[in-house]
């Protein structure tokens, strides 16, 4: 017999577009000409269908146009089979999933029929057996079986689903009583992914049923005949695949077991694989010496047996009502399904009802999964598993849940999701959007539950492990960012090593504070030493310390929290006296008064700064380095530079828009101005560069020429010590041998007026040593 096709795939898509704007009279004539020239088998008339469209009067003939003929699409069956076999599926492994699902459907049909038909009794099961000598793989079920007509209709007609027709015949009232999987009518043909020849032996329900054999080699034809091979007890189907040369791996029992456990472990009917098992038994030891009166000696020998071994099945916990599940059930399911060793810190078991139906079970791990410890968005990390009627479909669908929830583990079961025929592509539709929103909502509810727990250490651990994912959510998901913001945690200038939330910060703000202030840096210590914090500390304003490179992007996307703007204190134009026009006017007048000094700083420092301006925000430091409105923080600049180097690209222009803010009332700035006015331009420039370097270090910037900076510091220290380096070397022999060596730290302390205990660079972290260099340099400038 020949295969027939009732689904012609994508050929229908192009048809409407080809004739959409062609007048019916012209189109009918063209169809008639083509019909006359076409072969006889393509001229089969189905019915008369007139196609018309509104067109200008001068185009349409006033005479009545002849009715157009409608033809049925024809298909090259062998080509359609080739497309199904080689184009619908990208992974050969899925053939076993499809065939096991078909077998499960047959068992489910038998179970349903047994309610009304006594001849449909029996225990449904599925057996898989590989024969290495014959090169065949047999999948047998004790399900409903098929008659001869059903063989021809179900297997001989491509894209006709017998399961779907069975479900339609049952009607909506019996929908909840069955668990039928098939829907497309092409799963059976996945067997040709691995087989050259497929044989189906089947026997329908009933005492007088005849056993038939269906056979095909994936061409355009198949044969059906009565079968005289090993009889099937009761009813059922035996599928025999003659494997291709490149698919002999599926003859290994271990491979089959792994695939069945991955795809079909939740199918409710028992599945077993024929395999060899080795047991150790005790047998008499014929070589041992027999001693009269003693028990005969035995030995342990291996004994190999072959039998059907059930695969390890699991309970589809998500299909059970939550009230029927215990904590131990959830823990066991989580560990077995996701190969985890920790206990979940939170879970959510729920159903989606309405236009879209689905069941889901979500978990939040206690610790960061290993596969996410190397790459937080590792594509190989399978966090969300999609099932359809208990059958595993895929765990790599990106649209199911946003990537910022990559740490959430879960299972979703729905037959409403728009999968392609191969069940490998998830299409973007309204159903997917509904499920996506519900998964996000339930995930956020779990995070809030952890936050509200009396044991505050749970949320601290959660934030340390998964806080970065929530920050990414603020950047990537505009719909969710306002819900995520209250869950974020930060350090502040006054919180020490404890986290605080935005709500904690707002709750502690003084009455006169109207904004949320933050500063960025690589460490908490570096943030705290920023000169930009000085005025805020004096006014009693707390400052959030953003020490993660991602934080700067996060706050830029948030812009404000509730009614409070988020303000970077290291940006130009920080205004702590809003509405005070007198102070603004005074500052403008000061900028005009010291315009020459500000120009001197700009000329002396060159392109290292955009400009220099006066400020009243500093209380201790002579100067601070801030960024313009569109400049990047030093932390972000380092990150962007490293990224450019890694990608082999040139540095992005405009990253650094540094502005030097100076306190013209500070003694150091007055000294520089005095030297400038007195003609000591060289000395004034050297002092200005040292002041800039100190401000840069305090602000977290890198000094381009660290050697030049060190030379300036040593030069000034040497002058303060009363001589050049040569004088120190000449004085060295005069030291008596009995005296202890000179303590260089005490010498630095004596010169700069700083304590010496913390200026030991050796064995100290770099940021701490950097802080002491800044303090030492600042102290020396102050001593002038």
């Amino acid at each position: 017999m020949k295969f027939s096709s009732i689904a012609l795939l994508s050929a229908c898509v192009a048809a409407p577009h080809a004739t959409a704007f062609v007048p019916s009279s012209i189109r009918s004539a063209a169809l008639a000409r083509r019909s006359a020239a076409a072969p006889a088998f393509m001229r089969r008339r189905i019915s008369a269908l007139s196609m018309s469209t509104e067109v200008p009067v001068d185009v349409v003939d006033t005479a009545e146009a002849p009715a157009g003929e409608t033809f049925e699409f024809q298909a090259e069956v062998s080509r359609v089979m080739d497309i199904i076999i080689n184009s619908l599926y990208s992974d050969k492994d899925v053939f076993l999933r499809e065939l096991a699902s078909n077998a499960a459907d047959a068992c489910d049909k038998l179970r349903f029929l047994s309610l009304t038909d006594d001849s449909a009794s029996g225990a449904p099961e599925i057996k898989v057996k590989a024969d290495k000598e014959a090169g065949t793989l047999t999948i047998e079920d004790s399900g409903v079986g098929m008659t001869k007509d059903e063989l021809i209709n179900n297997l001989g007609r491509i894209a006709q689903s017998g399961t779907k027709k069975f479900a339609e015949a049952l009607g909506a009232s019996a929908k909840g009583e069955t668990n039928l999987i098939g829907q497309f009518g092409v799963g059976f043909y996945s067997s040709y992914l691995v087989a050259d020849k497929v044989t189906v032996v089947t026997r329908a329900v009933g005492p007088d049923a005849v056993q038939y054999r269906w056979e095909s080699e994936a061409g355009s034809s198949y044969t059906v005949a009565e079968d005289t091979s090993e009889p099937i007890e009761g009813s059922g189907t035996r599928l025999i695949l003659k494997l291709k040369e490149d698919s002999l791996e599926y003859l290994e029992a271990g491979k089959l077991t792994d695939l069945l456990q991955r795809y079909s472990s939740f199918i409710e009917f028992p599945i077993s694989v024929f395999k060899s098992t080795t047991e150790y038994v005790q047998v008499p030891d014929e070589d041992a010496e027999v001693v009269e009166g003693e028990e005969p000696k035995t030995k342990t020998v291996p004994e190999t047996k072959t039998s059907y071994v059930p695969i390890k099945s699991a309970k589809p916990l998500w299909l059970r009502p939550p009230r029927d599940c215990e904590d131990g059930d959830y823990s066991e399911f989580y560990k077995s399904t996701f190969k985890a060793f920790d206990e979940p810190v939170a879970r959510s078991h729920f159903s989606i009802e309405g236009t879209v139906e689905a069941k889901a079970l979500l978990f939040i791990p206690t610790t960061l999964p290993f596969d996410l410890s190397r790459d937080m968005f590792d594509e190989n990390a399978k966090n969300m598993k999609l099932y359809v009627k208990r059958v595993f479909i895929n765990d790599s669908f990106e649209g199911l849940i946003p990537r910022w929830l990559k740490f959430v583990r879960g299972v979703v079961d729905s037959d409403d999701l728009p999968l392609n025929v191969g069940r490998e592509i998830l299409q973007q539709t309204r159903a997917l959007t509904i499920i996506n929103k519900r998964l996000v909502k339930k995930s956020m509810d779990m995070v809030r539950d952890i936050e509200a727990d009396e044991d505050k250490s749970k949320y601290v651990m959660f934030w340390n492990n998964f806080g970065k994912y929530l920050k990414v959510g603020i950047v990537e998901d505009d719909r969710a960012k306002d819900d995520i913001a209250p869950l974020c945690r930060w350090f502040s200038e006054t919180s020490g090593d404890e986290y605080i939330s935005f709500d904690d910060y707002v709750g502690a703000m003084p009455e006169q504070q109207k904004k949320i202030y933050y500063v960025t840096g690589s460490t908490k210590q570096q943030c705290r030493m920023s000169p930009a914090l000085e005025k805020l500390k004096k006014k009693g304003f707390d400052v959030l310390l953003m020490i993660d490179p991602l934080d700067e992007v996060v706050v830029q996307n948030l812009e404000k929290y509730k009614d409070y703007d988020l303000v970077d204190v290291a940006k130009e134009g920080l205004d702590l006296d809003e509405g005070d026009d007198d102070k603004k006017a005074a500052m403008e007048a000061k900028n005009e008064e010291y315009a020459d000094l500000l120009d001197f700083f700009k000329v002396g420092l060159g392109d290292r700064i955009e400009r220099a301006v006066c400020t009243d925000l500093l209380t201790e430091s002579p100067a601070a380095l801030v960024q313009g409105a569109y400049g990047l923080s030093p932390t972000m600049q380092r990150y962007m530079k490293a990224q450019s180097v890694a990608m082999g690209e040139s540095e992005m222009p405009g990253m650094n828009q540094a502005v030097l803010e100076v306190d013209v009332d500070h003694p150091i700035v007055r000294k520089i101005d005095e030297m400038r006015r007195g003609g000591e331009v060289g000395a004034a420039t050297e002092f200005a560069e040292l002041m800039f370097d100190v401000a840069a270090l305090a602000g977290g910037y890198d000094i381009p020429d660290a050697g030049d900076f060190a030379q300036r510091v040593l030069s000034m220290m040497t002058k303060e010590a009363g001589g050049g380096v040569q004088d120190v070397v000449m004085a060295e022999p005069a030291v008596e041998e009995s005296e202890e060596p000179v303590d260089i730290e005490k010498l630095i302390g004596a010169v700069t007026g700083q304590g010496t205990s913390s200026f030991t660079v050796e064995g100290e972290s770099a940021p701490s040593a950097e802080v002491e260099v800044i303090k030492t340099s600042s102290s020396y400038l102050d001593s002038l």
Side-chain angles (χ1 to χ4, degrees), residues 34 248 448 462 639 708:
R34 282 196 294 245
L248 298 181
R448 293 188 190 96
F462 166 83
Y639 175 78
D708 188 41

Side-chain angles (χ1 to χ4, degrees), residues 7-20:
L8 302 174
L9 304 177
S10 59
C12 302
V13 176
H17 304 289
T19 59

Side-chain angles (χ1 to χ4, degrees), residues 97 379 381-388 392-403 406 412 417-420 422-428 432 436 439:
R97 178 194 72 188
E379 294 181 355
K382 313 300 184 182
N383 64 314
M384 198 63 61
K385 298 180 182 292
L386 176 63
Y387 287 78
V388 173
F392 174 71
I393 301 301
N394 210 320
D395 52 12
S396 302
F397 289 131
E398 295 181 358
L400 197 58
I401 195 168
R403 72 169 192 156
K406 188 80 172 178
V412 178
L417 282 173
L419 293 166
N420 71 330
R423 303 176 190 257
E424 297 172 345
I425 300 175
L426 194 58
Q427 301 168 6
Q428 293 293 333
L432 178 60
N436 178 284
L439 294 178

Side-chain angles (χ1 to χ4, degrees), residues 585-626:
M587 187 54 59
E588 290 177 1
K590 188 172 286 189
N591 274 295
E592 292 179 6
E593 180 183 354
Y594 290 93
D596 292 342
L597 177 61
L598 299 178
D599 290 341
F600 171 77
F601 285 133
K602 169 57 182 170
V603 173
L605 297 174
D607 57 4
R608 283 176 284 179
I609 62 172
E610 293 283 321
R611 61 187 174 279
V613 297
C614 296
T615 183
D616 60 354
L617 299 176
L618 301 174
T619 59
E620 299 175 4
S621 303
L625 206 58
V626 298

Side-chain angles (χ1 to χ4, degrees), residues 365-632:
T366 299
T367 59
L368 183 67
F370 175 75
D371 48 6
L372 296 179
S373 61
R374 296 164 296 178
D375 180 358
M376 66 183 293
F377 299 119
D378 188 356
E379 294 181 355
N380 296 320
K382 313 300 184 182
N383 64 314
M384 198 63 61
K385 298 180 182 292
L386 176 63
Y387 287 78
V388 173
K389 299 289 186 67
R390 304 169 183 253
V391 177
F392 174 71
I393 301 301
N394 210 320
D395 52 12
S396 302
F397 289 131
E398 295 181 358
L400 197 58
I401 195 168
R403 72 169 192 156
W404 60 269
L405 287 173
K406 188 80 172 178
F407 63 92
V408 176
R409 300 301 199 225
V411 171
V412 178
D413 192 326
S414 173
D415 54 354
D416 290 334
L417 282 173
L419 293 166
N420 71 330
V421 178
R423 303 176 190 257
E424 297 172 345
I425 300 175
L426 194 58
Q427 301 168 6
Q428 293 293 333
T429 64
R430 182 172 177 271
L432 178 60
T433 301
I434 292 173
I435 292 178
N436 178 284
K437 287 182 178 180
R438 185 61 64 88
L439 294 178
V440 171
K441 181 180 182 299
K442 291 296 183 179
S443 298
M444 295 299 294
D445 288 344
M446 287 192 291
V447 176
R448 293 188 190 96
D449 290 342
I450 301 173
E451 182 193 33
D453 196 287
E454 294 180 357
D455 185 356
K456 300 302 180 183
S457 64
K458 287 186 178 180
Y459 195 73
V460 171
M461 180 179 294
F462 166 83
W463 182 256
N464 288 334
N465 286 326
F466 309 115
K468 285 189 176 182
Y469 290 94
L470 297 189
K471 293 178 183 179
V472 172
I474 291 176
V475 176
E476 295 184 346
D477 196 336
D478 285 338
R479 295 181 306 178
K481 68 179 183 180
D482 291 334
D483 294 327
I484 299 173
L487 300 171
C488 292
R489 292 296 182 266
W490 321 95
F491 293 110
S492 80
E493 204 278 329
T494 60
S495 70
D497 293 329
E498 299 293 329
Y499 286 119
I500 67 169
S501 65
F502 279 128
D503 289 325
D504 295 332
Y505 180 95
V506 171
M509 288 193 320
E511 185 177 351
Q512 69 271 25
Q513 183 178 346
K514 304 300 181 184
K515 297 179 179 179
I516 298 175
Y517 298 102
Y518 70 91
V519 64
T520 60
S522 57
T523 64
K524 289 183 288 183
Q525 185 178 14
Q526 185 185 81
C527 289
R528 288 186 173 116
M529 74 182 188
S530 173
L533 272 60
E534 294 177 5
K535 189 65 176 286
L536 288 99
K537 291 180 185 178
K538 188 174 181 179
K539 294 179 73 71
F541 294 175
D542 198 2
V543 180
L544 297 178
L545 311 180
M546 305 290 187
I547 59 175
D548 190 329
L550 191 59
D551 292 346
E552 187 170 354
V553 184
V554 170
V555 293
Q556 287 174 358
N557 277 269
L558 276 179
E559 293 184 348
K560 64 189 309 179
Y561 177 73
K562 295 182 178 177
D563 296 329
Y564 301 94
D565 292 333
L566 297 172
V567 179
D568 186 353
V569 301
K571 289 280 189 180
E572 182 189 15
L574 179 64
D575 186 5
L576 300 181
D577 301 303
E578 296 183 52
D580 194 334
D581 295 334
D582 293 338
K583 287 191 175 181
K584 291 181 180 178
M587 187 54 59
E588 290 177 1
K590 188 172 286 189
N591 274 295
E592 292 179 6
E593 180 183 354
Y594 290 93
D596 292 342
L597 177 61
L598 299 178
D599 290 341
F600 171 77
F601 285 133
K602 169 57 182 170
V603 173
L605 297 174
D607 57 4
R608 283 176 284 179
I609 62 172
E610 293 283 321
R611 61 187 174 279
V613 297
C614 296
T615 183
D616 60 354
L617 299 176
L618 301 174
T619 59
E620 299 175 4
S621 303
L625 206 58
V626 298
Q627 281 290 321
Y630 302 103
L632 300 180

